[in-house]
Amino acid sequence: MSVGDYQVPVIGALDASQQGLEWSELRARGELLCWLQFDPRSGATRIKAKRGDGEAYFLSPEDVCVRSRVHEYGGGAYCLTDDSVVFVRERDQALCSLPLTEAKGDSATLRVLRQSEGYRYGDLVFDGHHHRVLAVEEYHPRENQSGAVVNRLVAIELHQGLRRVLVEGADFYASPRVSPDGKRLAWVSWDHPNQPWLSSSLLEARLDDGGQPLVVNQVTQGQLAGKQESVFQPEYSPEGILYFVSDRHGWWNLYRYQQGHVEEVMPLDKEFGAAQWQLGLSRYAFIDEQRLGCSFIDEGRFGFAIIDIKQSRIEVSSERWASLQSVVAAKGRLLAVAEFPERPLQLLQFMQGSAGGDIKTAVVAEIASSAEVDWPISKPSHIRFETAAGLEAYGFFYPAQNLSNTTEKPPLLVQVHGGPTAMANSSFDALKQYWTTRGFSILDLNYRGSTGYGRDYRHSLCQQWGVADMEDAFHGAAYCISEGWVDPDKVFIRGNSSGGYTVLRALSDQSQVVSGFESGFCSGASLYGISDLARLNQHTHKFESHYLHWLIGDAETEQVRYQQRSPLFYAEDFHKPVIFFQGELDRVVPAVQTRGLFEKLRQRQLEVEYLAFADERHGFKQAQNRAQVLQREFAFYQRRLG
């Protein structure tokens, strides 16, 4: 297998990187529909808008990137008021506003509502009853100041930008929601050592005439019958009934709270929620007093349903998508950002079916590719396989395309997602197609601990990080080999963030010998992966500062375990080539971690490479940097393939 022997054109590294447009945070007000659009060509995120059947246009100025830094991962970076759009400006985390009547990318009318050093805002929600914006506020002391990072729920008055604290005292807050009559406020909170997908609580308070909370009622406690409970996306129905998603019975399902009692709306073995790595997520919305529309995950695929909340009846679309994000209702319409396995993003409008009961969809808008697609597209299939101890794991398999020699089996690239509590889906990704058009098959792994398969599967990574995920990588590769899909001597592994940590574990732990895959991985790529767990535990940001206690164990009492699972401390066990990629501005996994392991491996004269980007944080945003990663990584693997 050599460069240039392909039967038809392949997608170039820069073309693949430039096609990574992302849509998120769909919002609606009247005829106006807005969303965030991230463009890797500029590395910036802007607000895009569309009125009725008109053409889409940029609402925010070209020189302003819209992005929240709360929890480092952000989310909920803007909201629509009656006459303006309020958003977070990335460079200084200032709250800014633009009048909707004039705003079409015009920075001349931009007004700074609130700007103060050390303060960040996210999860913005408009409260029309009190003419203000609700937000999660995160305060970071200056470097020369002592003190901890503090999170609160606050209200920002729209006329003068005055700030009032609504709720404080918990470690974290999310999802502020105001009832239709403006008299109640609901929100989600959680405390260390929990993450929101492990244990979080739903609270509700009566508001006084000025909008300040009076009596606070705890709707859920964060655990039920001795088990943890995760709460997601509270919403008030048009009638003022509080709905939310909870995994109290094993799956993120829909519940409602009324007259002091919690009741299940529709019990199903499907996931209607998500892990809140980012704020501002929306997976369901009310059409009217009778119905709501929602997305769900079933066997790794996304679906859409309309639930009759009066009669507890569900109507499920016969179609399946790779992903359905940001479901919103607008003037009786249900809309969602949809992702497909074989084509770019679309904005879909859902329409209730007729006598047949099927839910139909109509395309509202579509993103055009930045280059003509004249290369073969690999379509994934969802697979399940047996892993260690007879357990089961999952993934998506992408068969190689454009093989230069059809008599040989292709190499396999195992891809490990970050999080680790995230999930791989089958969304069209030109970066994956970059590999498949070059003759690689891909296993996009949903190892134990991934979301989308119920709470038990998600919680199976407890104390097992660095073990269960690594085992699943080996067994997933062995499954693909046993099916005759790939060459057993040409298996590579790549991963980002926590996935990069799994890569380093898989390349250094020689104890993993799986039948049919005795040779192990040829080499791998770690993108801003973790190498020193104890250092990460000491220096990571507030949101994840106790996460390792759940994933690994208590850092004080389990010091040996921390070292045993930290690749930095057993560099002598590495015998396979590794290529490292790192952002110098990364606050989640600081660059010192990656450089430390790289230097140790280089001193052992192991085949290693290191590429750092001075202008990147945790996750590479800019197309030219993404392209460099692909080119360097491909060349690195080519040397192993001869």
Side-chain angles (χ1 to χ4, degrees):
M1 177 180 171
S2 59
V3 180
D5 291 340
Y6 306 109
Q7 298 169 354
V8 297
V10 296
I11 182 172
L14 187 57
D15 284 340
S17 301
Q18 288 177 340
Q19 291 193 44
L21 288 174
E22 298 174 13
W23 282 9
S24 62
E25 299 192 23
L26 201 58
R27 306 285 185 261
R29 182 161 295 277
E31 289 291 328
L32 182 66
L33 189 64
C34 297
W35 59 89
L36 290 182
Q37 177 170 298
F38 166 72
D39 189 341
R41 289 171 293 188
S42 63
T45 302
R46 297 177 66 189
I47 303 171
K48 208 160 190 181
K50 180 180 174 65
R51 289 186 183 273
D53 296 327
E55 292 292 321
Y57 58 92
F58 283 109
L59 194 62
S60 58
E62 184 178 6
D63 60 346
V64 175
C65 182
V66 178
R67 189 178 297 149
S68 166
R69 290 290 180 200
V70 173
H71 301 169
E72 299 300 331
Y73 300 107
Y78 81 105
C79 69
L80 301 173
T81 75
D82 289 331
D83 55 7
S84 65
V85 55
V86 177
F87 60 89
V88 180
R89 185 169 60 189
E90 183 191 27
R91 62 179 173 85
D92 55 6
Q93 293 296 283
L95 276 181
C96 305
S97 73
L98 285 166
L100 290 175
T101 53
E102 304 172 24
K104 283 195 177 182
D106 184 7
S107 58
T109 57
L110 185 146
R111 181 168 70 96
V112 176
L113 277 178
R114 181 169 178 79
Q115 180 182 9
S116 184
E117 186 178 354
Y119 285 86
R120 305 177 182 184
Y121 296 94
D123 223 344
L124 306 187
V125 175
F126 175 54
D127 176 9
H129 294 279
H130 304 96
H131 199 61
R132 61 187 184 176
V133 168
L134 310 182
V136 173
E137 177 187 86
E138 188 172 82
Y139 172 66
H140 291 250
R142 297 186 184 94
E143 290 187 6
N144 61 349
Q145 291 180 325
S146 60
V149 175
V150 178
N151 291 68
R152 306 179 179 95
L153 275 186
V154 300
I156 310 296
E157 187 267 332
L158 285 172
H159 180 59
Q160 295 180 324
L162 299 176
R163 163 191 169 274
R164 298 178 71 180
V165 175
L166 298 177
V167 188
E168 59 184 343
D171 288 323
F172 299 98
Y173 294 93
S175 309
R177 298 291 188 270
V178 179
S179 62
D181 60 7
K183 296 181 179 180
R184 288 174 293 154
L185 173 69
W187 68 91
V188 173
S189 72
W190 64 97
D191 292 304
H192 285 316
N194 294 307
Q195 297 295 108
W197 51 84
L198 297 178
S199 175
S200 54
S201 300
L202 175 61
L203 300 100
E204 185 183 46
R206 276 196 304 114
L207 300 177
D208 63 19
D209 292 340
Q212 285 295 110
L214 292 172
V215 180
V216 177
N217 174 44
Q218 193 155 13
V219 178
T220 72
Q221 305 291 326
Q223 62 176 5
L224 182 70
K227 289 189 175 182
Q228 292 179 312
E229 177 182 12
S230 167
V231 176
F232 173 82
Q233 194 189 343
E235 298 284 357
Y236 284 100
S237 72
E239 294 178 318
I241 299 172
L242 181 58
Y243 283 71
F244 61 96
V245 173
S246 166
D247 69 348
R248 58 173 51 193
H249 294 309
W251 297 83
W252 269 318
N253 276 192
L254 195 65
Y255 293 80
R256 60 180 161 231
Y257 176 72
Q258 54 182 345
Q259 299 179 342
H261 298 285
V262 172
E263 58 184 33
E264 196 165 18
V265 175
M266 182 65 59
L268 292 167
D269 290 351
K270 305 180 191 300
E271 297 276 59
F272 290 82
Q276 290 189 88
W277 282 97
Q278 290 186 309
L279 299 169
L281 302 177
S282 175
R283 294 294 187 270
Y284 71 95
F286 288 92
I287 306 170
D288 49 38
E289 294 87 350
Q290 182 89 7
R291 301 169 300 157
L292 61 79
C294 52
S295 72
F296 62 85
I297 308 171
D298 181 22
E299 290 291 314
R301 301 283 187 178
F302 280 70
F304 188 85
I306 292 177
I307 296 178
D308 186 319
I309 55 181
K310 302 291 186 182
Q311 301 181 29
S312 295
R313 187 176 63 204
I314 188 169
E315 193 173 344
V316 179
S317 172
S318 59
E319 295 182 73
R320 287 292 179 268
W321 292 268
S323 176
L324 280 173
Q325 308 289 342
S326 295
V327 178
V328 301
K331 297 182 74 65
R333 300 181 299 162
L334 256 296
L335 302 109
V337 174
E339 296 177 300
F340 303 85
E342 73 284 350
R343 61 184 186 276
L345 295 167
Q346 287 184 329
L347 185 56
L348 296 183
Q349 176 179 327
F350 292 87
M351 299 176 292
Q352 193 162 8
S354 55
D358 190 22
I359 300 169
K360 307 297 182 183
T361 60
V363 176
V364 178
E366 182 174 356
I367 298 181
S369 299
S370 58
E372 290 296 324
V373 177
D374 58 356
W375 27 269
I377 294 176
S378 178
K379 296 181 181 179
S381 56
H382 184 255
I383 64 169
R384 61 176 69 211
F385 56 89
E386 184 177 309
T387 185
L391 299 173
E392 198 169 57
Y394 309 91
F396 289 95
F397 180 77
Y398 294 75
Q401 304 294 304
N402 210 9
L403 296 174
S404 57
N405 186 339
T406 56
T407 63
E408 295 182 2
K409 291 179 180 178
L412 175 67
L413 181 58
V414 176
Q415 183 156 308
V416 190
H417 66 69
T421 311
M423 70 172 289
N425 61 38
S426 57
S427 300
F428 175 82
D429 184 352
L431 299 178
K432 290 194 187 82
Q433 302 295 331
Y434 172 88
W435 294 103
T436 58
T437 60
R438 283 163 172 75
F440 283 81
S441 291
I442 291 178
L443 171 59
D444 204 0
L445 189 65
N446 269 325
Y447 51 84
R448 284 169 287 166
S450 303
T451 55
Y453 299 89
R455 184 181 62 196
D456 289 346
Y457 193 77
R458 188 171 74 247
H459 283 210
S460 61
L461 205 59
C462 180
Q463 310 288 289
Q464 295 300 307
W465 189 37
V467 177
D469 48 323
M470 175 181 63
E471 290 173 341
D472 294 351
F474 275 91
H475 283 270
Y479 176 79
C480 295
I481 292 167
S482 69
E483 292 293 308
W485 296 336
V486 297
D487 189 326
D489 296 319
K490 299 176 181 178
V491 183
F492 303 83
I493 185 169
R494 74 188 310 267
N496 60 294
S497 190
S498 69
Y501 167 66
T502 305
V503 168
L504 298 175
R505 289 281 291 150
L507 292 177
S508 59
D509 192 326
Q510 303 302 307
S511 66
Q512 290 295 316
V513 179
V514 179
S515 177
F517 187 40
E518 289 81 5
S519 59
F521 295 100
C522 295
S523 68
S526 172
L527 287 76
Y528 38 95
I530 300 146
S531 61
D532 186 344
L533 295 172
R535 183 189 287 264
L536 180 72
N537 189 62
Q538 293 168 359
H539 299 291
T540 194
H541 56 115
K542 179 185 177 183
F543 180 67
E544 292 184 78
S545 60
H546 288 68
Y547 193 23
L548 289 187
H549 294 203
W550 186 85
L551 289 167
I552 303 291
D554 183 87
E556 294 298 322
T557 62
E558 301 293 344
Q559 293 181 22
V560 173
R561 184 187 295 173
Y562 271 69
Q563 283 205 3
Q564 288 175 340
R565 296 191 195 173
S566 294
L568 184 66
F569 290 97
Y570 50 85
E572 67 278 359
D573 290 337
F574 279 81
H575 300 286
K576 304 295 180 69
V578 191
I579 185 168
F580 297 91
F581 300 97
Q582 179 68 44
E584 293 289 351
L585 301 178
D586 196 334
R587 295 289 301 276
V588 179
V589 180
V592 64
Q593 285 223 9
T594 304
R595 285 198 300 268
L597 180 57
F598 166 72
E599 290 297 339
K600 280 194 171 186
L601 298 181
R602 187 171 66 168
Q603 289 170 11
R604 290 187 50 234
Q605 298 184 335
L606 193 68
E607 186 182 348
V608 290
E609 291 185 22
Y610 177 78
L611 180 61
F613 300 102
D615 52 354
E616 293 284 11
R617 297 179 183 271
H618 194 69
F620 301 150
K621 297 293 185 182
Q622 300 183 44
Q624 64 269 26
N625 295 339
R626 290 181 174 188
Q628 280 195 64
V629 169
L630 290 176
Q631 291 166 340
R632 288 282 293 271
E633 187 179 352
F634 179 58
F636 192 74
Y637 295 160
Q638 280 291 109
R639 289 196 290 275
R640 302 299 298 173
L641 292 169

